[in-house]
Amino acid sequence: MSQDPITIAGLCGSLRKASFNRLALSIFAQNLPEGAKVVPVEIGDFPLYNQEILEAGVPAAVAAARDTIHGADAVVIATPEYNYSTSGVLKNAIDWLSRTTPQPFAVKPIALLGASMGVLGTARAQYHLRQIMVFLDGRPINKPEVMIGAAHTKFGADGTLNDEMAVKLIKDLGASLVREVHRYRAAATVV
Ligand SMILES: Cc1cc2nc3c(=O)[nH]c(=O)nc-3n(C[C@H](O)[C@H](O)[C@H](O)COP(=O)(O)O)c2cc1C
């Protein structure tokens, strides 16, 4: 098994500084197995998608994000739920990235998690993301599902997540993603 460091490109679908999803992503990063790390991908400077902008050249912020994701072993996406789907900010970013070459989500292991104020904890948003990733040939891992409901009652002012089960699931998700990366690496060495 390759011991090379594992890089995971991290996207957050909320631009809020105090975002629960940003906090969840940070807990994910802190609980990864040794040798794996999250590299943040900034999507807040992407313009609204417009093919005419693309025809003039891939915007610098989009190109930088594409390169980070393409160069990473895996991706983690923390999504909020807006009106029973993922956020417009995240969809806009995925739409942009999907029109770049190489399309960076293709055949890439992807961990999904999310936090929302509703009881279903982004379940609907995450299933929309899974559908989007079918078209992009991404490889979202199935389990565990991390859906943090009633997030406003669980995150402390200091960023801690006061839900032992959710913290365990986040840790298990990181371990599962890293195992998947090792499987991909092993498969890549088979001729
Ligand atoms: C436009 C909008 C739509 C929302 N729709 C939902 C929803 O469908 N389900 C839900 O659980 N929460 C919904 N919320 C509340 C979010 O869960 C809450 O704002 C959450 O804090 C967003 O994630 P963040 O903390 O990472 O920014 C919505 C919030 C906004 C602003």
Side-chain angles (χ1 to χ4, degrees):
M1 186 187 296
S2 163
Q3 298 303 317
D4 290 347
I6 289 175
T7 306
I8 302 167
L11 285 79
C12 179
S14 170
L15 302 181
R16 236 163 49 85
K17 284 197 186 71
S19 156
F20 300 130
N21 285 283
R22 199 169 294 284
L23 295 175
L25 195 54
S26 148
I27 293 166
F28 176 90
Q30 287 158 24
N31 284 281
L32 281 170
E34 209 180 316
K37 67 169 183 184
V38 169
V39 179
V41 175
E42 296 307 331
I43 60 173
D45 290 334
F46 284 25
L48 287 176
Y49 182 80
N50 177 340
Q51 191 178 329
E52 287 154 6
I53 299 176
L54 178 61
E55 282 161 6
V58 178
V62 177
R66 175 205 53 205
D67 292 347
T68 301
I69 298 169
H70 180 64
D73 296 288
V75 177
V76 57
I77 302 177
T79 182
E81 184 167 278
Y82 282 179
N83 300 312
Y84 285 13
S85 187
T86 195
S87 64
V89 162
L90 183 59
K91 181 65 165 58
N92 181 60
I94 293 173
D95 289 345
W96 265 114
L97 291 161
S98 74
R99 291 284 149 178
T100 63
T101 307
Q103 191 271 89
F105 296 107
V107 200
K108 192 78 83 180
I110 300 169
L112 301 176
L113 71 159
S116 72
M117 290 167 72
V119 287
L120 294 189
T122 74
R124 292 160 292 222
Q126 288 192 39
Y127 272 82
H128 281 180
L129 266 183
R130 285 182 184 275
Q131 178 175 322
I132 290 165
M133 286 304 161
V134 171
F135 186 61
L136 300 184
D137 201 19
R139 305 295 160 89
I141 57 172
N142 288 329
K143 290 186 176 179
E145 293 184 311
V146 181
M147 297 161 173
I148 307 163
H152 53 301
T153 68
K154 296 179 180 168
F155 284 94
D158 57 356
T160 51
L161 175 52
N162 304 310
D163 179 339
E164 265 181 47
M165 179 59 77
V167 173
K168 180 180 181 310
L169 286 173
I170 292 173
K171 190 172 179 176
D172 290 350
L173 179 66
S176 186
L177 185 66
V178 165
R179 269 198 306 278
E180 194 69 355
V181 169
H182 285 306
R183 276 193 211 104
Y184 273 63
R185 285 184 175 178
T189 61
V190 176
V191 189

